[in-house]
Amino acid sequence: MKKLLMLGLLLTGAASAQTITGAGASFPYPLYSKMFAEYKAATGVNVNYQSVGSGSGQTQILQRTVDFAGSDNPMPADKMKSAPGQLVHVPTAIGAVVPVYNIPGVTKLRLDGPTLADIYLGKIKRWNDPKIKALNPDVTLPGLPITVARRSDSSGTSYVFTDYLSSVSGDFKSRVGRGNAVKWPVGSAAKGNDGVAGLVKNTPARLATWNWCTPSKTS
């Protein structure tokens, strides 16, 4: 599954101080680190961005504890209306949310939307399930149990992924739905993209979703 998203910065009026504070999505953090380092070298202004998840970033910008927030999904209209000041969405990067896995001996794997939904619902429990085998007839799949990894924090990645699964599976839509934070039926959780990546890397038979991003040509 691949789904493109636009990363938005939610901006409020930042003071002309030598430090600008921000918080939010972990997805663009590596990109931001490079961008903000270059900005400081050129201007002398330090940008302090905390990678805490899209949901936390949205909360902090509403509380005006930061000057800007990063979010994978746009802030809902009702939250925008409740903001103490005007907020503006600014696209900064385009990325994709894709499945990643760690299966011993398997270097190529195909999974479609309905199959992913059934895995995250706990209906497909092993890698050699007939539905997965049908999608990968030339791959030798082990009978290991599938352990999914997911975000523990309020995350725009979770919103993008659950939005996709809800669009391809009525069962997933009714049981889990879409959102930055949902009640997952199965799996173990970790904070941030780096935490999820660590779970997948260090534990065989893991499945999770991951992001990559590139600077937006429209920003």
Side-chain angles (χ1 to χ4, degrees), residues 19 21 24 48 69 73 92 109 111 121 125 145 170 172 176 179 184 197 207:
T19 298
T21 60
N48 180 12
N73 61 297
T92 61
L109 184 72
L111 296 170
L121 287 171
K125 302 181 182 298
F172 188 92
V176 181
W184 297 96
L207 172 72

Side-chain angles (χ1 to χ4, degrees), residues 16-29:
S16 57
Q18 292 300 301
T19 298
I20 299 172
T21 60
S26 61
F27 157 50
Y29 181 69

Side-chain angles (χ1 to χ4, degrees), residues 11-21 39 45-47 64 66-68:
L11 301 178
T12 185
S16 57
Q18 292 300 301
T19 298
I20 299 172
T21 60
Y39 184 73
V45 177
N46 181 55
V47 181
R64 304 196 76 167
V66 294
D67 298 313
F68 70 94

